[in-house]
Amino acid sequence: MAKKTDNDRLKEIKSRFSQLEEERRRFESRWITAQNYTSASVYDWENLDCIPSLPKRFSSSPCHYLSILVSGLVGYSISPNIVWFKLSLEDFSQTSLYGVKDWLEQVEEIMTAEFKRSNLYSQAEKMIKDAATIGHGVMLCDYDIASQRLRFTTERSNEIYLDCNSFGEVDTVYRRFLITLRNAVEFFGLEALDEDRREAYKNVARWNDKIEILQVVEPRRNRDTGKPDAKNMPFACYFIDRAKNKIIQESGYIENPFAVFQWNQIAGFAYSESPVQGAMTDIKALNIMEETRLKIAQTSAEPPMQVSDSVRNLSLVPAGVTYTKKDEQIQPIRTGENYPIALDVVQQKQQEVKDWFNVDFFLMLQQKQGQMTATEVMELQGEKAAILSNLIVNLNNALQKIISRSFNLLMQNHRLPPPPLALQNAMNNSRMKVDFVGTFAQAQKKYHTMGGLATAMQTAATIMQIYPNSADYINADELMKRALEGQGMPQAIIREDKDVEKIREMRAQQEQAAQQQAQQQEMLNTMMKSSGGLSKPIEQGSMMDAINKQLAGGLQQ
């Protein structure tokens, strides 16, 4: 197959981008509406250089409810104040290899510290808010060599174009963004730019000129797997100067550097539904009601006036004075407005909007604080996690990509310890598994896994009282490990299988030695009684003397 030139790639990318532009344009109107009613700023989806506009609405309640939803998801799923993930291997037999669990826990501690050093948590909140508003949030995960730390960037939603593979997984991200000439030189290098750009850079006054760049990250269709260079990696990355129609940089990634959180993907499309879009009918109705309520309040405070046509110089300002003749009238026209009834209707509609954002779920523990037992709290959290399980699965998928990408970046930059020798031999067949242990994940496990385990043990205990031999079906060691891991017990506290075997061998040896010592002592006492007791001395060289020496030697062993 003939090698493609830059012009060939440019034609393909431009054609592909036109398709993605057309596809996204079908969704933009609903995204603009969603931002108008729930966001602090509204993006211009065509002009990237346009300052986001301020929305015009009559109710800020949906914006507040969205904030509670986002804060709740961050606090319950990914927070710097909790341990929210644990690492293991998909092949459980490899996890049981000596030293592997301790290595995994050491890696967890380092990654947790690296996440705190980075900007992950602030950017994760933005990603979740984008997904809750327009349906998807896109985060770039990379490593800053200068500061030696992970770097995360939630890209502006109006810059992103998505496409997915046959499994419905987003594997293609096109990003159209603006960059100043100065930053382009720092990022790409002066020689990578077009000759006109290089000439413009000589003039400092033009350093802030804006350049429109198209970044393309997609699976590389034609590559030489025998060459491990950047241009033959599984994912291709291109940066294109659109005005100059020039590829200014080509590189690649082992994995997709973008993590995409899709709230609820629309079948057959790369884009998703969101709670804001789902609640839009109620949100619009709430805004109409709030507008009406404001008009009612204003009409009540400043009612229309009925005035005789002969009255002149009417003053309706506070403390104003109007002079009238005897038969002239000035009186308000009451339209029958009923402010309390209008308020009740608004509160009902507010509750309907709250339900879309699960506000009561996230505030329930706070509202019922002091009125619930620990068991009731656990059950309530489990029910909450069960209802939101689909959302949690989608969020965890995005977080898993972030963790996997971060692990590879840290390993490549020698920020993580090497795996133990027992695992290095099987490294090609090892796959990392991420278990989430945040509040939501723990609640799900306790509600489903641990709840089922506790119920099974209660049933087993009842059966074993009648049929004691039935306990042989239970592997007590495996039961203990699963119970401890299900409750989030740190691996440093749980001993390795080989360590447990050594402890049990030592215990068995000590018990055997103690038993032998007791038997020898009993034999000695019996012999001494049969020889006439302790009052009669044992003759040297006698058979009793030989037995005594043999027993004494056994006691000293």
Side-chain angles (χ1 to χ4, degrees):
M1 182 180 294
K3 187 177 179 180
K4 291 184 178 180
T5 64
D6 283 354
N7 287 334
D8 294 333
R9 292 195 185 93
L10 279 170
K11 289 179 181 178
E12 288 183 358
I13 291 173
K14 289 173 66 176
S15 174
R16 189 89 172 86
F17 183 56
S18 296
Q19 295 173 356
L20 296 181
E21 274 187 311
E22 184 63 30
E23 182 74 6
R24 196 189 80 167
R25 197 170 289 118
R26 300 162 66 184
F27 293 88
E28 289 176 0
S29 61
R30 63 169 67 185
W31 297 343
I32 294 173
T33 303
Q35 287 188 329
N36 267 316
Y37 283 97
T38 58
S39 298
S41 300
V42 180
Y43 290 142
D44 188 313
W45 293 82
E46 293 294 334
N47 185 3
L48 296 177
D49 201 28
C50 183
I51 298 175
S53 61
L54 296 177
K56 297 179 180 180
R57 52 185 175 235
F58 291 94
S59 175
S60 62
S61 296
C63 187
H64 176 60
Y65 302 151
L66 175 62
S67 177
I68 293 176
L69 171 61
V70 173
S71 299
L73 287 175
V74 172
Y76 278 102
S77 298
I78 171 175
S79 171
N81 301 318
I82 62 173
V83 177
W84 54 277
F85 74 95
K86 294 184 73 66
L87 300 177
S88 62
L89 299 175
E90 289 187 357
D91 188 344
F92 190 74
S93 63
Q94 293 178 344
T95 307
S96 303
L97 295 174
Y98 190 79
V100 171
K101 290 183 179 179
D102 290 336
W103 173 74
L104 288 172
E105 184 150 5
Q106 187 179 3
V107 170
E108 291 166 12
E109 292 175 356
I110 295 174
M111 291 187 67
T112 299
E114 290 291 338
F115 286 152
K116 289 182 179 180
R117 286 183 64 229
S118 71
N119 60 338
L120 170 64
Y121 297 105
S122 61
Q123 293 298 309
E125 183 174 0
K126 295 178 181 179
M127 178 185 72
I128 293 173
K129 186 173 183 180
D130 280 349
T133 305
I134 67 172
H136 63 272
V138 180
M139 178 184 287
L140 174 66
C141 314
D142 63 353
Y143 188 83
D144 183 44
I145 297 178
S147 61
Q148 293 189 344
R149 65 173 187 165
L150 296 168
R151 177 173 56 195
F152 302 93
T153 308
T154 297
E155 307 295 357
R156 284 174 46 179
S157 53
N158 62 338
E159 296 179 349
I160 297 297
Y161 302 80
L162 303 177
D163 196 18
C164 56
N165 58 25
S166 58
F167 294 97
E169 302 166 338
V170 173
D171 64 350
T172 300
V173 178
Y174 279 48
R175 178 182 170 229
R176 181 175 67 98
F177 65 98
L178 297 178
I179 188 172
T180 63
L181 177 60
R182 174 193 172 189
N183 290 338
V185 171
E186 292 179 358
F187 188 82
F188 302 109
L190 185 61
E191 293 302 318
L193 301 181
D194 181 84
E195 183 179 353
D196 292 342
R197 304 287 191 199
R198 296 198 297 269
E199 189 66 27
Y201 185 71
K202 295 178 181 179
N203 184 359
V204 177
R206 298 193 59 185
W207 279 14
N208 280 349
D209 288 359
K210 298 291 181 67
I211 303 175
E212 184 176 317
I213 301 294
L214 178 64
Q215 180 185 7
V216 177
V217 175
E218 60 186 1
R220 198 186 297 273
R221 290 181 292 276
N222 299 311
R223 67 188 186 97
D224 187 347
T225 56
K227 295 181 179 180
D229 59 344
K231 293 185 178 182
N232 285 284
M233 288 185 176
F235 282 85
C237 178
Y238 302 98
F239 287 91
I240 299 168
D241 185 338
R242 296 197 71 194
K244 300 300 181 180
N245 199 31
K246 173 182 173 61
I247 297 178
I248 56 179
Q249 187 180 92
E250 178 185 357
S251 60
Y253 295 97
I254 297 175
E255 72 244 312
N256 197 326
F258 289 101
V260 181
F261 172 29
Q262 295 174 291
W263 194 276
N264 186 20
Q265 187 176 9
I266 302 173
F269 296 94
Y271 302 106
S272 304
E273 299 169 340
S274 71
V276 171
Q277 295 175 39
M280 191 50 59
T281 300
D282 292 326
I283 291 175
K284 287 182 176 180
L286 177 61
N287 272 266
I288 293 173
M289 289 181 179
E290 286 286 4
E291 180 183 7
T292 303
R293 189 164 70 95
L294 290 173
K295 289 180 178 179
I296 291 174
Q298 185 177 9
T299 301
S300 179
E302 299 178 355
M305 304 298 293
Q306 180 179 354
V307 183
S308 300
D309 58 0
S310 59
V311 175
R312 296 292 181 268
N313 299 322
L314 181 66
S315 176
L316 298 178
V317 299
V321 178
T322 301
Y323 295 95
T324 63
K325 297 179 180 179
K326 183 177 181 180
D327 296 331
E328 293 177 337
Q329 294 182 350
I330 300 177
Q331 62 183 12
I333 301 175
R334 294 298 175 185
T335 59
E337 66 273 9
N338 192 329
Y339 185 82
I341 295 178
L343 181 60
D344 291 342
V345 175
V346 169
Q347 289 175 343
Q348 179 181 352
K349 185 58 66 175
Q350 286 177 335
Q351 184 59 49
E352 293 175 0
V353 177
K354 280 184 179 180
D355 292 341
W356 279 101
F357 295 101
N358 299 292
V359 171
D360 291 339
F361 275 134
F362 292 108
L363 299 182
M364 192 174 295
L365 294 180
Q366 176 183 342
Q367 294 168 351
K368 295 187 177 182
Q369 188 175 6
Q371 305 174 12
M372 304 172 64
T373 64
T375 303
E376 290 173 337
V377 170
M378 186 180 73
E379 291 178 353
L380 182 62
Q381 288 180 333
E383 291 175 0
K384 179 192 304 183
I387 293 174
L388 300 178
S389 59
N390 185 53
L391 165 60
I392 297 172
V393 167
N394 293 337
L395 176 58
N396 286 349
N397 285 338
L399 296 178
Q400 184 167 352
K401 293 176 183 176
I402 292 172
I403 293 173
S404 177
R405 170 74 174 156
S406 300
F407 173 84
N408 292 333
L409 288 171
L410 292 173
M411 188 64 77
Q412 292 167 14
N413 288 276
H414 309 290
R415 302 286 294 176
L416 296 177
L421 184 61
L423 185 60
Q424 289 181 17
N425 297 330
M427 205 65 183
N428 292 334
N429 298 321
S430 299
R431 295 190 64 180
M432 189 70 70
K433 178 184 176 184
V434 181
D435 294 318
F436 293 95
V437 293
T439 306
F440 263 144
Q442 287 283 25
Q444 278 187 314
K445 287 182 179 180
K446 290 177 181 178
Y447 188 71
H448 296 289
T449 306
M450 296 307 298
L453 186 62
T455 303
M457 285 304 300
Q458 291 175 357
T459 304
T462 303
I463 296 174
M464 286 187 293
Q465 289 178 354
I466 304 174
Y467 305 103
N469 292 338
S470 61
D472 297 338
Y473 279 98
I474 298 177
N475 186 334
D477 290 346
E478 196 65 28
L479 175 64
M480 176 62 75
K481 287 192 293 184
R482 294 296 174 90
L484 295 177
E485 291 172 356
Q487 293 286 353
M489 180 75 73
Q491 290 294 340
I493 300 177
I494 304 176
R495 288 192 174 98
E496 299 279 358
D497 291 346
K498 291 185 177 180
D499 292 336
V500 173
E501 291 176 2
K502 291 179 181 179
I503 292 173
R504 289 177 176 176
E505 288 177 1
M506 292 178 60
R507 184 186 299 126
Q509 291 173 0
Q510 292 172 354
E511 291 175 352
Q512 184 179 5
Q515 186 178 5
Q516 290 177 350
Q517 184 176 0
Q519 291 175 349
Q520 292 170 354
Q521 183 65 45
E522 185 177 356
M523 290 176 61
L524 177 61
N525 293 338
T526 302
M527 290 293 184
M528 294 184 69
K529 287 181 181 180
S530 64
S531 64
L534 295 174
S535 59
K536 183 178 179 179
I538 300 174
E539 295 180 3
Q540 187 173 4
S542 64
M543 184 177 66
M544 190 64 194
D545 181 49
I547 295 174
N548 188 29
K549 289 180 179 179
Q550 184 179 1
L551 292 174
L555 292 173
Q556 294 175 359
Q557 288 181 355

